[in-house]
Amino acid sequence: MIAEWLISIIIVVISLVFFALTFTFSDIPCDPGGMALFPRTVSVIAGVAALLLMVRLLKSRSSDTRGPLESIGKFFGSWKKGSNDEASVTGRRMTYIFLASIAYPWFIVKAGFLPATLAYVFVLMKLFRSKTLISIILSSIVASTLYFFFIKVLQAYVPPGIWLENIFD
Amino acid sequence: MDLIGQASAILFQPQHLILLVGSVLAGIVIGAAPGLTSTMAIGLLIPLTFTFSKVTAFVLLLGIYCGAIYGGSITAILMNVPGTPTAAVTAIDGHPMTMKGEGGIALGVATMSSTIGGLLSCILLIFLSLKLAKLATMFAGPEYFSLGLFATAVVFSLSGKSVVKGLIAACFGLLLSTIGIDLVAMRPRFTFGIQEIMIGIPPVPAIIGLFCVAEAFRMAEETEIVVKVQKGVSGLLVAYRLLPKLWLTILKSSIIGSIIGTLPATGALMASFMAYGEAKRTTKHPEQFGKGAVEGVCASESANNAVTGGALIPLLTLGIPGDTNTLMLMGAMLIHGLIPGPTLFREETTLIYVIFGTMILSNLFILPLGLSLAKHIAKVALIKKKYLMPAVSVLAITGASIGYGHVYYFWISIIFGFLGYFCQKGGFSVLAVAMTLILGPIMEKNLRAALMLPGAGPMMFLTRPISLMFLVLAVLAVIFGLRREAQIRAIEAKGTASVSTNEEISRP
């Protein structure tokens, strides 16, 4: 599975980077363990365990355990023209949801909380093939309810958005 | 007695009573909605408590917790759609009872069993936590480090199918917990020169990301289940006549649930399964189980609600969250400046008694609310995923982050949402990542504090009795986990072998 490979590779990389960085930490005489002891030990255990898992995954490449390249190939296969089976549709929808979620905080900074939240909810609803009018109404309700709840009840700071600030400046 | 009086005076204030009834009801509704778990219910409502006092915040969150654990049973019984994963065991017999026209009785039994199970676990919570908190005052750095190691070992060994994957997940959480300013040396670690990362990984947005945002993503890929509302559900109040026949099952299941609740990485689902298995083993009519046995519903529901009290014991006394719900509650405690453990019993005694009282009242409120509203609450299962998922997703991302007032926290919720989603996909324990993210700083701080003691060395962890006990238990947990994994692999191999044999037979 792609997730097993992805997590294993991430862990190996992170543990290598963390392990190497622990050697740059300076020692403090009154702290025998120091800043490095704990992360260094954990990164060694994590790296070894992740490598062990990768070896195990390579050894048991049965039908449900694909190699990293095959998994990536399957993922891109769902983007081929005419791939309209349920798995491909779900795969594409998940990718769009991930992209929308990544864009959301960026958009909050640029456009402000209210427009960004409205757009995010609208996009998610459209990805589920909701009707446009219903999506507009519901996303407006959700976004404005959240906005007023955060502002009035929680008295939280809600990003106003750089674009909007620039217009009024 | 003074403390009980103070706590009662606080709890019986009209605003707290109204809030508690409302939160139990909200918990039942959220628990009944398929896809929304009790963990999500607590996670999504944590932001609401930002402006509340500590007492009010915990009245709300504990009411939600108890209500949501019960709420899952309603749709499980009436529609065969468990609102929460724990209610899946209730559905085994609850839904067949509905199909036989006994849905009302099943609901009534589930409600009464949940109430009694929850109340019995409260008794255990009160007595055991007061004793354990006194014992915990004897703990120093080495004991706390070994306790953290024990909790980590239990979580990575038992919370998934594979011990290696559990270990990877636990180490991942521990590594992430080291990011940011080191609180002993006051120097940055693993920040890569990025200013925002100096504050480290904030636990609350991270945990809400791991469980709630990831759950919203998972909801997006599940196929919509078409559910039908059962009409003419009656006989809810008749169920009390069955109590004399069911009391032993309720008592046994409640004890199982309470004990399972105290163990890390177990939770309500395991308690329900174990209580169900025990009820089936000891009944005179095991053949009725799975076909609408009222004892099955009763065992599952009393066990899963009994977990609520049990799970609070390690959290309150030792600062070790046992499951995802208590992990969320721990996040809420941190937000309100509370540090669970013996200090809590010393400095926040009134709050401790308010927590005990809230747990008792929440379980009591389940009874009238469940009996009178269950039929109507079941309709939440009809809400379509295409409306639910966007709302849950945006609430999970913003709710956890907005109180901090910086976009970095939004990123944390989203990145941990992806992490939780992919961890679950790959069979890595999300609970292990979340728990070690919380335990990491506690373990490191105590390890370094222990090594600073005069004449300290690695052997001190083995020469101090309590520390040694936790280390031995940790080793035993890993051995148990490895044996369990071997058994699962053997069963799966057998299954594959029989499938391939069947394929060979069926081949022309």
Side-chain angles (χ1 to χ4, degrees), chain A residues 1-4 6-8 10-11 14-15 17-18 21-22 25-28 30-39 42-43 45-46 49-50 52-53 56 86 90 93-94 97-98 101-102 104-106 108-109 113 117 120-121 124-125 128-130 134 138 142 146 149-150 153-159, chain B residues 47-51 145 162 164-165 167-168 170-172 174-179 182 184-185 187-190 192 217-223 385-387 389-391 393-395 397-399 402-403 405-407 410-411 414 418-419 421-423 425-428 440 443-444 447-448 451-452 485 489:
Chain A
M1 267 173 81
I2 194 162
E4 283 175 303
L6 190 72
I7 301 275
S8 306
I10 289 173
I11 296 290
I14 288 181
S15 51
V17 172
F18 275 41
L21 282 176
T22 56
F25 298 157
S26 48
D27 292 329
I28 309 167
C30 64
D31 182 10
M35 283 164 67
L37 175 71
F38 190 73
V42 176
S43 59
I45 300 170
L52 196 74
L53 181 67
R56 197 189 270 184
E86 204 182 318
T90 310
R93 185 201 289 156
M94 290 308 295
I97 289 175
F98 288 160
S101 303
I102 292 167
Y104 179 46
W106 178 84
I108 285 177
V109 176
F113 180 81
T117 305
Y120 180 59
V121 178
L124 293 189
M125 291 189 78
F128 280 100
R129 292 177 185 161
S130 297
I134 292 174
L138 285 178
V142 170
L146 277 180
F149 174 73
F150 290 147
V153 182
L154 296 184
Q155 294 173 337
Y157 168 76
V158 175
Chain B
L48 198 74
T49 70
F50 283 163
T51 52
F145 173 72
S162 158
V164 176
K165 282 184 184 177
L167 178 64
I168 292 171
C171 288
F172 194 20
L174 289 174
L175 281 178
L176 292 174
S177 76
T178 62
I179 295 173
D182 172 51
V184 180
R187 285 179 196 156
R189 280 192 302 190
F190 313 119
F192 306 98
F217 291 154
R218 272 196 290 278
M219 213 188 274
E221 62 173 7
E222 284 166 4
T223 43
K385 206 174 57 188
K386 63 181 175 184
Y387 305 128
M389 187 269 163
S393 176
V394 78
L395 193 59
I397 293 169
T398 57
I402 202 80
H406 196 284
V407 81
F410 285 85
W411 280 114
I414 292 167
F418 292 149
L419 189 65
Y421 174 81
F422 283 109
C423 276
K425 282 259 150 201
F428 296 88
M443 283 170 69
E444 188 184 5
L447 171 69
R448 286 162 75 175
L451 292 174
M452 282 181 204
E485 187 184 338
R489 276 174 189 274

Side-chain angles (χ1 to χ4, degrees), chain B residues 120-167:
Chain B
L120 289 175
S121 80
C122 287
I123 297 170
L124 189 82
L125 164 70
I126 294 166
F127 285 102
L128 213 59
S129 57
L130 291 173
K131 298 270 177 221
L132 209 58
K134 276 184 194 155
L135 184 76
T137 52
M138 291 158 64
F139 288 15
E143 283 77 20
Y144 268 113
F145 173 72
S146 303
L147 174 65
L149 205 64
F150 162 65
T152 307
V154 174
V155 169
F156 78 69
S157 308
L158 302 180
S159 62
K161 272 186 184 175
S162 158
V163 176
V164 176
K165 282 184 184 177
L167 178 64

